[in-house]
Amino acid sequence: MSLQVARPVDKLERYNVTRSNLNIYHNVLVGNRIHSPHLAKYSLSSVQEWAQLLLDPITQLLEQHPSLGLVVGDHLTAKPMFLYLKSIDLLSLIRVVPIKTALQVDHIIEEEHNLPFDLSDQSIPLWRLVITPTEDDPSTFYLLYTFHHVIGDGRSAMAITKQFVEQLNLQQDRFDHRNPSLPGSALQMSITSHKPIPASLESRINCYPSMRTLIYEASRVLFLPGFVKKALEPRYWAGEMDSSLEVPNKTELAYLQFSQEDTSSIIRAAKRRSTTVQSVLYAAAVFAVKLVFMSNASSLSLSPSSASSSSDNDKHSNDKQEETIVFATPVSLRSLISKPIAPEDQGNYTSEILHRKIRVRNESSFWTMAHAYRQQVVRATTTPSGLRGLLEHVGMLSLLPKQDGAWEKFMANQVKRDQHGRKATIKVSNLGCGWDSSRPRDGQGCQEESTRILGFSVKDAIFSQSSGVTASALTMNVATANGVMTMTTTWQKATFQGRARGDLFMREFKRILSEALDDAREEYSFSEAASYSAIV
């Protein structure tokens, strides 16, 4: 049965299709822990009972967001297409997995990341839901939305999960008068409206690289042999085991949640130091990477920028031998282009900044590093040249060959071209604050707690991504709701030996962050971080 074409898959979208074809990246997950004082009286247990609760909200969201009814056709060819589904079986998209306490949700997230979407299956859309009731608090449950990156990014997932909660509240009275014996056929949802799906990034703004960028990147990325490229660039840590497409892409995950008090302390410290929460997380992450994964901790120093790294090279004769750190900062382009893209538009509109040649030595200052990072991000997101660089980062995909299978061949070859087969040491992707527009905002864009009682209200949020075989060795994902910051760190199992190393990284990250934010400390150096660690 043929499906109607929505539009061709564009280049940034095809990048995510190709990652699926190679099994090097699986999915994104965004969700909320939701409280309802009425949940106990509903006595929901089976998948069908939960599906009845979600039926009206999903029906409304399908009407608003046609991307939720898409599949990808011809995914193995050079010209994949978005296709409209004719119907959706809601029961096939929902799992119900009870957990004893909210802290056990990390196991569910990890399971989801290890369940890739099958693009060859054109009977189900590119998203699904997991419902996790918590036994120790019958009034709360997690609603976890897992989706393929080809149909959305973190911002659009924030918007859609927020709308989900809004729709739950709007249909509450109707659900109270539901038919408890609703037949399963009622959960087979027909899709009759084929509204246009959101336009791609490349169709909204010119991303094609300049001649200067074309010449530089083509020589470095397309024509320079991998062994030469690796020999010319500074060495950086990107795992203890080299990436390989022959090893299963299994994601492992560590989970961390800050209390409202601790989250507030992070925000206050960032404001007091005239920097950002992202910059503070960056400094703590780089310290923790160095401490946990990189040996000879006394020998390195962080350079605030690539330019200052060059001057550092003159001072330290061993810089060419030491491993540096490459840090990746994902950037949403939605608000940066001339015609901003609404967060409700379901699509992928992201780019990335790579911060190279980061070195950590004993004297490295946490706050100097945070400020230097902030300056780099400001330059990259507020200046014409910076924005052009972000767009050209996407536009470089235009240079890849046009034949069937050519993108897969090129991306598979990255395991030979990048050091350790990965392009970065660590990535921190921070969605910021969201999920409750009814609350007043503080100076950091977060919303203060409200006493207004709703049928369904958000307690906290989760954002997580599966591991990327050729991306960063570690991926940190951050989201904040209701004054609570939640974080996951994911990595491919074949990145280093033992899950305990990843758990140790998260513990050291939290400790370093806590010590750096201590009001009694005016400065905080790496040597101080190392001196208080149990592993040094």
Side-chain angles (χ1 to χ4, degrees):
M1 182 172 59
S2 62
L3 300 176
Q4 181 179 331
V5 174
R7 67 165 172 80
V9 170
D10 218 332
K11 296 175 185 63
L12 180 56
E13 297 158 342
R14 187 182 169 195
Y15 167 76
N16 286 293
V17 171
T18 304
R19 291 201 292 177
S20 267
N21 292 343
L22 290 173
N23 196 34
I24 61 175
Y25 181 88
H26 292 163
N27 53 50
V28 189
L29 181 148
V30 174
N32 299 112
R33 185 163 63 103
I34 298 173
H35 173 266
S36 173
H38 312 296
L39 197 60
K41 75 176 183 180
Y42 294 152
S43 299
L44 304 175
S45 58
S46 69
V47 172
Q48 180 149 340
E49 289 170 334
W50 278 100
Q52 288 186 48
L53 174 66
L54 303 177
L55 177 60
D56 278 0
I58 291 176
T59 301
Q60 293 300 317
L61 292 175
L62 275 170
E63 178 65 24
Q64 295 175 40
H65 304 293
S67 297
L68 295 179
L70 293 178
V71 292
V72 175
D74 298 327
H75 67 286
L76 294 175
T77 74
K79 297 181 179 180
M81 309 290 287
F82 284 119
L83 307 175
Y84 291 111
L85 283 169
K86 294 184 177 181
S87 64
I88 290 177
D89 178 8
L90 187 54
L91 290 177
S92 69
L93 300 180
I94 297 175
R95 283 201 303 148
V96 178
V97 186
I99 54 178
K100 291 184 177 180
T101 69
L103 293 177
Q104 293 178 331
V105 72
D106 59 336
H107 302 304
I108 310 301
I109 302 170
E110 187 173 298
E111 285 180 8
E112 281 294 293
H113 284 325
N114 288 308
L115 294 172
F117 288 94
D118 181 2
L119 295 184
S120 66
D121 186 348
Q122 297 186 359
S123 66
I124 57 175
L126 299 173
W127 60 272
R128 58 180 181 259
L129 300 174
V130 181
I131 309 298
T132 60
T134 54
E135 294 179 9
D136 66 342
D137 185 357
S139 65
T140 66
F141 66 98
Y142 278 100
L143 177 63
L144 305 177
Y145 168 62
T146 305
F147 61 98
H148 195 295
H149 223 334
V150 73
I151 64 165
D153 55 20
R155 299 292 181 191
S156 61
M158 284 178 73
I160 208 165
T161 49
K162 176 185 173 184
Q163 291 174 340
F164 215 118
V165 178
E166 291 171 350
Q167 289 296 330
L168 282 171
N169 282 306
L170 288 174
Q171 65 101 49
Q172 184 175 320
D173 289 340
R174 297 194 300 275
F175 186 73
D176 286 340
H177 299 90
R178 73 192 187 283
N179 176 7
S181 58
L182 191 69
S185 59
L187 301 174
Q188 185 77 26
M189 308 167 66
S190 296
I191 302 176
T192 56
S193 175
H194 288 167
K195 295 180 180 178
I197 65 174
S200 67
L201 175 67
E202 298 94 324
S203 66
R204 296 172 186 256
I205 190 168
N206 178 24
C207 299
Y208 198 79
S210 65
M211 183 59 67
R212 178 180 177 182
T213 302
L214 279 172
I215 295 172
Y216 174 75
E217 292 294 340
S219 62
R220 188 181 71 90
V221 176
L222 296 181
F223 303 129
L224 198 65
F227 72 93
V228 177
K229 172 182 175 291
K230 288 190 286 187
L232 292 176
E233 62 188 12
R235 294 175 59 235
Y236 58 87
W237 187 90
E240 295 171 346
M241 294 180 280
D242 289 352
S243 177
S244 170
L245 299 184
E246 306 303 317
V247 177
N249 181 16
K250 178 176 175 57
T251 294
E252 293 188 333
L253 177 145
Y255 175 86
L256 175 63
Q257 186 172 88
F258 293 94
S259 66
Q260 287 183 331
E261 180 180 357
D262 288 342
T263 302
S264 180
S265 295
I266 297 170
I267 295 171
R268 287 198 311 269
K271 292 173 66 175
R272 181 168 61 88
R273 298 281 188 158
S274 300
T275 187
T276 63
V277 169
Q278 173 74 5
S279 301
V280 173
L281 300 180
Y282 158 83
V286 172
F287 269 27
V289 165
K290 177 60 186 171
L291 197 56
V292 175
F293 295 107
M294 301 174 69
S295 60
N296 196 15
S298 64
S299 66
L300 300 179
S301 174
L302 175 78
S303 61
S305 66
S306 295
S308 61
S309 294
S310 298
S311 63
D312 280 348
N313 286 341
D314 297 333
K315 300 175 184 178
H316 300 279
S317 60
N318 66 336
D319 281 358
K320 291 185 178 180
Q321 286 74 41
E322 71 187 25
E323 283 192 316
T324 62
I325 293 172
V326 175
F327 188 93
T329 302
V331 176
S332 173
L333 297 171
R334 290 173 179 265
S335 62
L336 300 181
I337 63 177
S338 56
K339 293 182 179 179
I341 304 170
E344 291 77 19
D345 279 12
Q346 297 299 302
N348 191 347
Y349 306 102
T350 59
S351 186
E352 190 173 67
I353 308 167
L354 285 181
H355 311 262
R356 305 179 188 274
K357 302 180 184 177
I358 300 169
R359 297 182 171 91
V360 180
R361 295 187 176 88
N362 274 348
E363 66 273 18
S364 298
S365 163
F366 182 98
W367 294 107
T368 298
M369 180 166 54
H371 284 108
Y373 170 82
R374 180 178 183 271
Q375 291 171 6
Q376 292 178 30
V377 173
V378 168
R379 284 196 300 269
T381 56
T382 63
T383 65
S385 61
L387 179 57
R388 191 67 229 158
L390 291 172
L391 294 173
E392 289 183 355
H393 181 78
V394 175
M396 286 299 298
L397 295 170
S398 302
L399 302 183
L400 297 185
K402 307 298 188 291
Q403 300 89 354
D404 290 357
W407 282 38
E408 285 78 7
K409 181 179 179 180
F410 174 82
M411 291 177 65
N413 197 42
Q414 295 307 107
V415 299
K416 301 176 183 177
R417 297 184 56 83
D418 289 331
Q419 294 184 34
H420 303 287
R422 302 179 183 93
K423 70 176 180 180
T425 305
I426 185 167
K427 172 171 67 177
V428 175
S429 186
N430 186 358
L431 290 187
C433 307
W435 288 278
D436 193 344
S437 59
S438 67
R439 297 177 182 172
R441 293 182 177 273
D442 64 18
Q444 288 281 331
C446 289
Q447 290 142 346
E448 298 173 356
E449 190 171 5
S450 170
T451 57
R452 185 165 68 92
I453 298 177
L454 297 172
F456 296 87
S457 58
V458 172
K459 298 286 287 182
D460 50 58
I462 291 174
F463 166 46
S464 191
Q465 300 181 71
S466 62
S467 62
V469 173
T470 58
S472 54
L474 296 157
T475 300
M476 302 186 78
N477 313 280
V478 189
T480 304
N482 194 32
V484 175
M485 179 185 292
T486 304
M487 182 179 301
T488 68
T489 298
T490 56
W491 60 91
Q492 186 189 14
K493 183 179 181 180
T495 301
F496 45 81
Q497 290 287 349
R499 179 190 295 271
R501 301 289 300 286
D503 293 335
L504 176 62
F505 166 78
M506 284 293 263
R507 291 197 301 273
E508 289 295 294
F509 170 86
K510 183 179 181 181
R511 178 188 64 81
I512 289 167
L513 190 59
S514 175
E515 291 174 2
L517 300 184
D518 188 345
D519 290 338
R521 295 177 186 269
E522 190 59 33
E523 285 295 336
Y524 184 65
S525 67
F526 179 73
S527 62
E528 291 178 90
S531 66
Y532 289 107
S533 174
I535 62 173
V536 176

